[in-house]
């Protein structure tokens, strides 16, 4: 094997002067080139020794190779018979490792634009990559995404939050708004888990029914509490697939919808009175506050009061529980936090050229976000104890209290 001629003293001096180890004009690039060519020569020598024929060396073929340390021209040795198949750098291979692909996917998962990814790769590795190349690399997430969307789920989830977010996707030459349905859950260990992403032309109870059916088919037998927004027909869709599930309508959604109908000059006073309803210590106190709200504002805003009255059974479910349980279920804020993460990823995108383009970006974001979901939520053991009391027998075979 030819000994590498890497000049260590010159490399140390270059490092002291501030030259980069890797990337464009990196100190290590010549060493990687020499070591790679020496290893290829050794592979050819071994091949010829084992061949037993008159086969022999037949010059070299240059090709441009990209590495995480930089790009360089590699001289690949040939044999006369053409039977030599190098293993270190195979024929037509132009990357020594997949590190660069991992970096591209990592930047993509942070919502970095293709333009910025190209600039970063050019700056770090002296390699020009096209949008098509970046798209092809990130498309490798799609089979993984599909497997994730079809994976088996646990039999029981104590708490599930369901909500939708909307995006513009190009279809038949024009952009149309579509809904991404997001299902976030707490498993029996109290850890967050995103159960799935579903895409539809619009948000509606009918499509939620198909999603809930899919969750059931993937293994979910029971959900204790489902926290949802005020979409009409949503509770009925849940009851169809999971008849024992308790539904909690999102208080924050209800408040926002109510304030749309309150005149700006009355909003501060109305909000102060409404707070006495949803912040009450007990169900009885909340109902008394609701009566007082109606007495004061009922004639002026009957539509708002009627909405609270008609939905009260589902809005007030959280009053059954202590404060630490209420905080987890009275709002869909947990899944909305996931949507905020999605918006950070997509804020530079006016629209998406395809459904897959959107889904692979959101999936990359999920992988990043789920890294922080390694611990149970606060007071989970106490919450689980409360649920086991209120829903006697339903958790017994899944937990060990």
């Amino acid at each position: 094997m030819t000994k590498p001629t890497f000049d260590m003293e010159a490399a140390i001096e270059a490092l002291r002067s501030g030259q980069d180890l890797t990337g464009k004009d990196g100190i290590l690039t010549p060493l990687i080139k020499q070591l790679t060519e020496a290893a290829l020569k050794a592979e050819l020598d071994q091949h010829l020794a084992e061949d037993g024929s008159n086969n022999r060396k037949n010059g070299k073929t240059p090709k441009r190779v990209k590495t995480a340390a930089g790009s360089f021209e590699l001289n690949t040795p040939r044999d006369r018979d053409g039977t030599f198949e190098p293993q270190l750098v195979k024929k037509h291979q132009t990357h020594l490792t997949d590190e660069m692909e991992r970096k591209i996917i990592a930047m993509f998962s942070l919502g970095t634009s293709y333009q910025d990814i190209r600039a970063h790769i050019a700056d770090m590795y002296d390699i020009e990559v096209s949008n098509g190349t970046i798209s092809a690399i990130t498309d490798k997430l799609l089979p993984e995404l599909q497997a994730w969307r079809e994976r088996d789920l646990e039999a029981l989830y104590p708490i599930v939050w369901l909500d939708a977010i909307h995006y513009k996707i190009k279809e038949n030459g024009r952009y149309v708004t579509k809904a991404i349905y997001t299902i976030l859950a707490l498993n029996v260990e109290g850890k967050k888990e995103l159960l799935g992403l579903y895409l539809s032309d619009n948000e509606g109870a009918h499509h939620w029914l198909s999603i809930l059916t899919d969750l059931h088919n993937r293994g979910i037998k029971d959900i204790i509490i489902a926290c949802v927004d005020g979409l009409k027909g949503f509770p009925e869709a849940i009851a169809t697939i999971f008849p024992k599930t308790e539904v909690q309508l999102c208080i924050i959604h209800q408040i926002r919808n109510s304030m749309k109908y309150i005149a700006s000059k009355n909003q501060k006073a109305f909000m102060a009175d409404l707070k006495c309803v949803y912040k009450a210590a007990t169900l009885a106190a909340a109902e008394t506050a609701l009566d007082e709200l109606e007495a004061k504002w009922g004639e002026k805003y009957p539509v708002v009061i009627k909405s609270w009255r008609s939905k009260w059974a589902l809005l007030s479910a959280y009053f059954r529980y202590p404060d630490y349980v209420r905080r987890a279920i009275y709002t869909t804020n947990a899944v909305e936090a996931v949507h905020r993460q999605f918006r950070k990823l997509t804020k530079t995108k006016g629209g998406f050229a395809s459904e897959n383009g959107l889904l692979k970006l959101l999936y990359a974001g999920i992988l990043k976000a789920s890294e922080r979901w390694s611990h149970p939520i606060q007071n989970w053991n106490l919450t689980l104890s409360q649920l086991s009391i209120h829903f006697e027998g339903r958790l017994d075979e899944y937990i060990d209290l």
Side-chain angles (χ1 to χ4, degrees):
M1 182 183 294
T2 303
K3 232 178 185 181
T5 58
F6 183 71
D7 191 333
M8 182 61 73
E9 290 185 4
I12 292 173
E13 189 58 37
L15 186 60
R16 285 173 178 165
S17 67
Q19 187 174 335
D20 291 336
L21 276 173
T22 61
K24 187 177 182 180
D25 301 320
I27 296 168
L28 293 181
T29 304
L31 177 59
I32 294 172
K33 169 181 167 64
Q34 292 173 22
L35 289 174
T36 305
E37 289 179 349
L40 289 171
K41 180 181 180 301
E43 281 191 25
L44 177 58
D45 289 342
Q46 183 177 357
H47 173 74
L48 294 176
E50 295 173 352
D51 195 344
S53 66
N54 292 326
N55 192 14
R56 59 182 185 273
K57 296 177 182 178
N58 189 32
K60 299 176 180 178
T61 300
K63 68 176 177 179
R64 197 74 179 170
V65 173
K66 303 168 185 177
T67 78
S71 62
F72 56 83
E73 190 172 89
L74 181 70
N75 293 312
T76 305
R78 301 189 305 260
D79 65 323
R80 177 160 293 205
D81 292 348
T83 57
F84 174 52
E85 293 284 348
Q87 297 303 304
L88 179 62
V89 185
K90 297 180 172 61
K91 291 180 179 179
H92 310 297
Q93 180 182 342
T94 58
H95 290 80
L96 286 189
T97 71
D98 62 354
E99 181 178 347
M100 191 158 45
E101 290 191 0
R102 291 197 300 271
K103 286 187 180 296
I104 288 174
I105 290 176
M107 286 187 286
F108 176 74
S109 69
L110 295 172
T112 309
S113 68
Y114 279 18
Q115 180 179 352
D116 288 342
I117 291 175
R118 290 200 317 268
H120 181 80
I121 295 299
D123 181 58
M124 293 295 293
Y125 304 123
D126 189 25
I127 296 170
E128 297 294 332
V129 293
S130 65
N131 285 354
T133 298
I134 296 173
S135 184
I137 289 171
T138 54
D139 277 351
K140 293 182 179 181
L141 289 170
L142 292 175
E144 187 180 332
L145 164 64
Q146 191 61 27
W148 176 81
R149 295 175 76 186
E150 296 174 354
R151 75 194 189 283
D152 292 337
L153 299 173
E154 295 181 14
L156 176 136
Y157 287 92
I159 300 174
V160 173
W161 299 274
L162 307 97
D163 202 6
I165 185 172
H166 299 85
Y167 287 101
K168 291 188 179 299
I169 300 173
K170 198 169 189 178
E171 192 174 86
N172 299 323
R174 65 187 184 92
Y175 285 96
V176 297
T177 300
K178 295 197 175 187
I180 288 285
Y181 297 78
T182 311
I183 300 91
L184 179 69
L186 288 181
N187 60 25
V188 291
E189 296 176 347
K191 297 177 182 178
K192 292 179 182 178
E193 179 184 343
L194 206 56
L195 304 184
L197 286 178
Y198 299 83
L199 193 146
S200 174
D201 290 341
N202 50 62
E203 185 179 3
H206 178 75
H207 192 68
W208 273 118
L209 180 62
S210 68
I211 290 170
L212 293 164
T213 301
D214 181 70
L215 295 177
H216 183 268
N217 291 340
R218 288 167 58 198
I220 299 181
K221 296 179 181 178
D222 195 7
I223 294 171
I224 301 299
I225 300 175
C227 311
V228 304
D229 64 16
L231 181 67
K232 188 176 181 180
F234 206 165
E236 291 78 8
I238 294 172
T240 300
I241 307 300
F242 300 104
K244 294 182 180 180
T245 297
E246 180 176 274
V247 176
Q248 169 65 56
L249 291 186
C250 176
I251 293 294
I252 302 303
H253 276 84
Q254 179 69 11
I255 293 171
R256 288 174 187 161
N257 291 335
S258 297
M259 297 310 289
K260 293 177 184 177
Y261 298 94
I262 308 299
S264 57
K265 64 179 181 179
N266 294 326
Q267 285 187 356
K268 186 175 181 180
F270 186 90
M271 192 65 198
D273 294 335
L274 183 59
K275 192 173 183 179
C276 295
V277 178
Y278 67 86
K279 287 285 189 180
T282 65
L283 177 60
E287 290 176 340
T288 299
L290 183 58
D291 290 339
E292 293 171 352
L293 185 77
E294 182 173 10
K296 183 175 179 179
W297 299 100
E299 289 187 13
K300 190 178 289 289
Y301 302 114
V303 173
V304 175
I305 301 302
K306 182 180 179 181
S307 176
W308 281 84
R309 289 292 190 191
S310 63
K311 299 176 183 177
W312 184 245
L314 300 178
L315 287 168
S316 62
Y318 70 107
F319 284 112
R320 300 173 61 193
Y321 310 103
D323 186 60
Y324 51 84
V325 181
R326 294 185 190 187
R327 286 196 298 270
I329 66 172
Y330 86 102
T331 173
T332 55
N333 187 57
V335 69
E336 288 177 15
V338 175
H339 288 169
R340 285 194 292 273
Q341 179 69 25
F342 286 171
R343 289 188 183 97
K344 286 181 182 179
L345 292 175
T346 60
K347 64 182 178 182
T348 61
K349 317 283 193 303
F352 289 84
S354 66
E355 293 181 359
N356 281 342
L358 170 61
L359 288 170
K360 70 181 180 182
L361 177 56
L362 298 184
Y363 176 64
I366 290 167
L367 296 179
K368 197 72 179 173
S370 61
E371 293 174 0
R372 301 191 296 272
W373 298 344
S374 56
H375 300 289
I377 65 167
Q378 194 172 12
N379 296 312
W380 176 245
N381 287 336
L382 292 174
T383 299
L384 202 58
S385 297
Q386 282 287 325
L387 295 180
S388 66
I389 292 170
H390 284 284
F391 302 94
E392 186 176 359
R394 285 172 60 185
L395 289 90
D396 291 353
E397 63 180 291
Y398 307 105
I399 61 174
D400 183 19
L401 289 173

